[in-house]
């Protein structure tokens, strides 16, 4: 077991999930509730990472963070470091790659709330933020949980985009899925098997948790 | 500034509105009209949930909307209680929590006792810990009404509040609202598509069509003197005909209805020769068998025959073709016992008597 790779994977998954969580709430709610101009365009851009080969996303990201590109130059000016083959670069591309997982479940949850319930909250004297906190977020809770866990689990298993943008630098960008690949290449099937089993268990438990929580919420009549 | 609700609203576009309404404290004003007539849009505009409107809304001395001044209060600033068609209870909260959430005007420690008192007033004592999914339709409706009133609103809006429950519950809830309203001293607007509901509960009824108010009147005046044929049709009234004025006197009008003279006891501004529309409301029609005439009930006699007799529970729907104009049938309901006693049947010759003081000319 490559404990360092596991640590980097967990760190990447944690920060990706935490940073995308509030973004998922506000973009997901806006897409579900508001009459946005260019909605199909926004929705397509968000879903693009789901259908795009990770290598293509990785390639365009590498182009964008090159030292002579705006994003790469800006980052270098701010931090004195380049983004390619660093944990920060990995995190940034991971945020983009996981947008659909962070937004879609939240969007579905907000869309499932009866519009009259939303209106009733305002008529009952709650302002927008109070209505969001006391009524909408508790009702959208299964979607929020799904988004967090799916983002976390998907990031743990991310391979193509990680390899393209992060490379395979031990202690910096070498994640568990890359480590598995390395072990298979070295015909060390026992280590690859242990790490694969860990990822499989984490993914399965996450999905089970999502299904269980959603079912419980539905049984209580909240959905 | 007078108490109560004063509304002057205009809206263009997809949902046009042209409304000028008043509703006094303690008064129930029913808004009726077909789908798309603007009833729910008006209610949402009053609550501040629909803002594509211009004009003025004043309630209980406060201005909620003044387009000229650029003032438009948010829903939470208007102090409105609203009962939604499907109740819109917060499904993750208990009945008690649904009420306390709407009681931000009270100190935190006073909310729960006040909410419990409201639940008791709507006959829900002991059910305060139930989620809405654990309540029946009638109980949900009561929670919704209690929640709307618990916020101590300046205006109560009821959007088809009884449409989602069965008929037995509906009658019971209507009765409860009729009792409860005596203790409520704020303006109340009731949107309904059920004319009976409006007639039973409302002090005044406003008929809406295509976003415009056609007539606002008390229930009896509205049913006896609809302002126009359109209002009469929207109220479901039948027997609307054309005629020409042949005489005008102090006692009323004489009409020529397809060759049949009709007297109407209605002072009016009509002149001889005017083409008018007249209506025979249900209460104006008496049916008699020619062989069993009722002395004294012979105003505007019209000879004809029964062409349709349909038994509908305790009533029968009757359609009579006048002999002088078979293309202008009169339709009305009569009690079933009358059908049985008079042994009425299809094809039977009958005489209709139209009471002059109950007929109405537009």
């Amino acid at each position: 077991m490559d404990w360092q790779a596991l640590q980097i994977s967990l760190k990447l998954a944690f920060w990706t999930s935490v940073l995308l969580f509030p973004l998922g709430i506000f973009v997901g709610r806006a897409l579900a509730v508001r009459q946005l101009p260019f909605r199909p365009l926004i929705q397509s851009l968000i879903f693009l990472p789901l259908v795009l080969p990770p290598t293509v996303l990785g390639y365009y990201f590498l182009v964008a963070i090159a030292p002579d590109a705006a994003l790469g130059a800006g980052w270098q000016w701010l931090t004195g470091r380049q983004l390619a083959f660093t944990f920060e670069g990995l995190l940034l591309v991971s945020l983009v790659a996981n947008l659909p997982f962070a937004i879609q479940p939240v969007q579905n949850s907000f869309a499932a709330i009866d519009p009259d319930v939303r209106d009733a909250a305002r008529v009952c004297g709650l302002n927008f933020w109070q209505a969001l906190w006391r009524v909408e977020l508790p009702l959208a809770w299964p979607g929020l949980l799904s988004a967090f866990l799916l983002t976390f689990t998907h990031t743990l298993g991310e391979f193509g985009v990680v390899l393209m943008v992060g490379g395979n630098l031990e202690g910096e960008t070498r994640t568990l899925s890359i480590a598995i690949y390395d072990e298979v290449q070295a015909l060390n099937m026992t280590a690859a098997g242990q790490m694969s089993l860990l990822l499989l268990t984490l993914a399965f438990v996450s999905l089970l948790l999502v299904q269980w929580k959603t079912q419980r919420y539905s049984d209580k009549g909240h959905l | 500034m007078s108490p109560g609700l004063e509304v002057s609203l205009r809206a263009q576009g997809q949902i046009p509105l042209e409304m000028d309404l008043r509703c006094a404290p303690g008064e129930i004003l029913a808004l009726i009209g077909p789908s798309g007539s603007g009833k729910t849009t008006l209610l949402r505009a009053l609550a501040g949930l629909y803002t594509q409107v211009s004009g003025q809304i004043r309630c209980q001395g406060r201005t909620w909307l003044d387009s000229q001044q650029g003032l438009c209060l948010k829903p939470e600033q208007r102090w409105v209680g609203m009962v939604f068609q499907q109740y819109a209870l917060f499904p993750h909260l208990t009945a008690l929590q649904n009420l306390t959430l709407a009681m931000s005007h009270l100190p935190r420690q006073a909310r729960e006792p006040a909410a419990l008192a409201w639940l008791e007033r709507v006959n829900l004592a002991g059910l305060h810990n139930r989620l809405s999914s654990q309540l029946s339709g009638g109980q949900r409706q009561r929670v919704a009404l209690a929640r709307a009133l618990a916020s101590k609103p300046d205006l109560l809006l009821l959007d088809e509040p009884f449409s989602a429950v069965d008929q037995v519950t509906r009658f019971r809830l209507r009765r409860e609202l009729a009792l409860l309203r005596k203790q409520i001293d704020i303006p109340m607007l009731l949107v309904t598509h059920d004319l009976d509901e409006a007639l039973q509960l409302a002090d005044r009824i406003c008929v809406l069509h295509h976003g415009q108010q056609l007539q606002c009147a008390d229930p009896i005046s509205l049913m006896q003197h609809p302002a126009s044929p359109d209002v009469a049709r929207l109220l479901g009234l039948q027997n609307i005909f054309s005629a020409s004025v042949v005489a005008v006197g102090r006692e009323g009008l004489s009409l020529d209805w397809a060759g049949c003279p009709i007297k109407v006891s209605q002072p009016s501004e009509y002149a001889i020769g005017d083409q008018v529309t007249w209506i025979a409301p249900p209460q104006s029609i008496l049916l008699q068998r020619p062989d069993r005439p009722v002395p004294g009930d012979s105003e505007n006699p019209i000879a004809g025959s029964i062409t349709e007799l349909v038994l509908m529970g305790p009533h029968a729907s009757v359609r009579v073709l006048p002999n002088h104009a078979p293309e202008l049938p009169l339709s009305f309901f009569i009690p079933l016992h009358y059908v049985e006693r008079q042994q009425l049947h299809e094809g039977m010759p009958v005489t209709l008597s139209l009471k002059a003081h109950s007929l109405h000319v537009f």
Side-chain angles (χ1 to χ4, degrees):
Chain A
M1 174 71 72
D2 186 339
W3 294 106
Q4 199 170 40
L6 176 64
Q7 195 185 358
I8 289 170
S9 282
L10 289 173
K11 191 170 130 189
L12 182 66
F14 174 78
W15 282 113
T16 304
S17 308
V18 166
L19 292 175
L20 280 180
F21 192 68
L23 186 79
I25 290 174
F26 288 102
V27 176
R29 187 187 182 279
L31 286 169
V33 175
R34 296 181 61 182
Q35 304 286 328
L36 295 174
F38 313 115
R39 195 169 176 276
L41 182 73
I42 299 168
Q43 194 103 35
S44 301
L45 283 172
I46 288 169
F47 280 98
L48 207 52
L50 211 55
V51 292
L52 210 60
T55 45
V56 176
L57 182 65
Y59 166 76
Y60 280 114
F61 195 77
L62 279 176
V63 170
I65 62 174
D68 55 344
L71 184 61
W75 182 264
Q76 196 141 22
W77 179 77
L78 271 174
T79 63
R81 294 178 68 191
Q82 64 167 10
L83 268 173
F85 310 112
T86 62
F87 180 79
E88 291 81 1
L90 208 55
L91 179 59
L92 215 53
V93 76
S94 188
L95 291 175
V96 177
N98 281 287
L99 277 176
F101 300 97
I103 292 172
Q104 172 75 15
V106 181
Q107 183 183 343
N108 289 345
S109 271
F110 276 111
I113 298 174
D114 179 358
D116 278 352
V117 167
R118 201 173 285 122
D119 287 342
R122 301 299 302 277
V123 173
C124 281
L126 306 182
N127 64 32
F128 171 81
W129 294 104
Q130 289 169 327
L132 184 70
W133 182 249
R134 309 276 303 268
V135 176
E136 292 192 43
L137 286 180
L139 289 175
W141 162 241
L144 305 186
L145 181 72
S146 297
F148 190 90
L149 289 177
L150 286 177
T151 306
F152 189 89
T153 315
H154 182 255
T155 311
L156 273 185
E158 193 79 74
F159 180 76
V161 109
V162 172
L163 197 61
M164 285 289 282
V165 174
N168 188 1
L169 301 179
E170 199 175 338
E172 177 74 19
T173 61
R174 190 182 192 200
T175 61
L176 205 56
S177 52
I178 307 263
I180 293 170
Y181 179 75
D182 278 353
E183 297 295 359
V184 171
Q185 291 292 305
L187 296 176
N188 190 356
M189 301 305 274
T190 310
Q194 285 172 346
M195 289 186 279
S196 296
L197 185 64
L198 180 68
L199 281 186
L200 176 72
T201 308
L202 280 173
F204 182 71
V205 168
S206 295
L207 290 175
L208 198 64
L209 198 61
V210 168
Q211 295 297 325
W212 181 58
K213 277 285 177 192
T214 308
Q215 187 64 46
R216 271 196 64 187
Y217 221 63
S218 180
D219 290 347
K220 279 185 178 178
H222 296 170
L223 291 177
Chain B
M1 220 175 270
S2 62
L5 175 72
E6 293 173 44
V7 180
S8 176
L9 283 182
R10 302 287 179 270
Q12 311 265 320
Q14 210 173 10
I15 311 171
L17 278 183
E18 196 176 334
M19 307 268 185
D20 293 282
L21 294 172
R22 279 169 181 270
C23 185
E27 181 184 27
I28 293 185
L29 175 64
L31 306 171
I32 64 169
S35 297
S37 59
K39 309 184 295 282
T40 298
T41 304
L42 173 63
L43 236 55
R44 290 175 57 77
L46 291 173
L49 298 169
Y50 180 70
T51 53
Q52 307 300 308
V53 290
S54 60
Q56 289 188 325
I57 303 173
R58 292 198 177 92
C59 190
Q60 304 288 67
R62 287 200 314 141
T63 303
W64 292 356
L65 174 76
D66 191 334
S67 303
Q68 285 189 333
Q69 304 287 327
L71 175 73
C72 179
L73 295 188
K74 292 177 180 168
E76 65 268 23
Q77 296 169 321
R78 296 192 182 198
W79 308 339
V80 171
M82 187 163 178
V83 178
F84 292 79
Q85 202 170 343
Q86 300 293 335
Y87 316 131
L89 297 181
F90 306 127
H92 59 301
L93 300 180
T94 63
L96 182 70
Q97 290 166 333
N98 262 276
L99 265 68
T100 53
L101 196 67
M103 301 171 95
S104 52
H105 61 287
L106 291 178
R108 202 168 287 273
Q109 67 277 14
R111 290 177 196 170
E112 196 169 309
L116 286 169
W118 266 111
L119 287 173
E120 203 174 322
R121 278 174 86 173
V122 294
N123 304 316
L124 285 178
L127 302 180
H128 57 279
N129 278 331
R130 292 207 185 167
L131 295 169
S132 75
S133 57
Q134 297 166 324
L135 297 169
S136 69
Q139 289 166 342
R140 285 181 207 181
Q141 200 277 348
R142 290 190 184 98
V143 175
L145 182 61
R147 184 179 69 180
L149 292 169
S151 63
K152 207 172 182 303
D154 278 349
L155 172 67
L156 179 63
L157 303 174
L158 305 158
D159 188 3
E160 306 211 17
F162 309 118
S163 62
V165 290
D166 60 83
Q167 197 174 1
V168 175
T169 311
R170 193 178 310 153
F171 281 120
R172 202 164 53 227
L173 291 171
R174 274 186 206 163
R175 188 179 155 277
E176 286 178 16
L177 179 62
L179 287 170
L180 192 65
R181 61 161 296 187
K182 293 175 185 167
Q183 305 160 35
I184 303 171
D185 59 353
I186 55 171
M188 291 165 270
L189 260 63
L190 166 70
V191 159
T192 179
H193 63 268
D194 185 338
L195 182 62
D196 284 340
E197 192 166 290
L199 293 171
Q200 286 171 10
L201 290 172
D203 299 301
R204 282 188 306 136
I205 297 174
C206 192
V207 182
L208 307 182
H209 194 43
H210 293 314
Q212 294 196 321
Q213 63 197 78
L214 300 184
Q215 186 176 4
C216 273
D218 66 84
I220 293 172
S221 304
L222 186 73
M223 294 306 286
Q224 291 186 348
H225 305 291
S228 67
D230 279 343
V231 172
R233 286 189 193 97
L234 288 170
L235 293 172
L237 296 175
Q238 303 180 83
N239 310 319
I240 303 170
F241 305 107
S242 298
S244 57
V245 178
V246 291
V248 180
R250 272 189 298 175
E251 292 180 359
L253 299 167
S254 289
L255 306 177
D256 175 14
W257 175 47
C260 176
I262 299 286
K263 286 192 184 308
V264 181
S265 308
Q266 180 181 332
S268 76
E269 65 282 9
Y270 297 106
I272 293 170
D274 281 354
Q275 288 296 312
V276 296
T277 302
W278 67 281
I279 180 170
Q283 71 276 11
S284 70
I285 304 172
L286 289 174
L287 183 145
Q288 300 175 27
R289 282 176 56 155
D291 54 335
R292 297 180 191 170
V294 180
D297 281 341
S298 57
E299 282 179 87
N300 294 318
I302 295 171
S305 59
I306 297 175
T307 183
E308 193 179 283
L309 183 73
V310 182
L311 303 183
M312 299 172 77
H315 295 94
S317 166
V318 183
R319 196 173 166 91
V320 172
L321 299 188
N323 290 341
H324 75 283
E327 73 280 10
L328 300 171
L330 286 117
S331 302
F332 50 93
F333 285 89
I334 52 175
L336 182 62
H337 66 78
Y338 188 77
V339 175
E340 291 169 348
R341 201 168 60 226
Q342 298 292 330
Q343 295 171 309
L344 302 179
H345 56 83
E346 287 180 357
M348 175 186 259
V350 291
T351 303
L352 298 181
S353 175
L354 305 182
K355 289 191 276 183
H357 67 274
S358 297
L359 301 180
H360 180 66
V361 175
F362 299 107

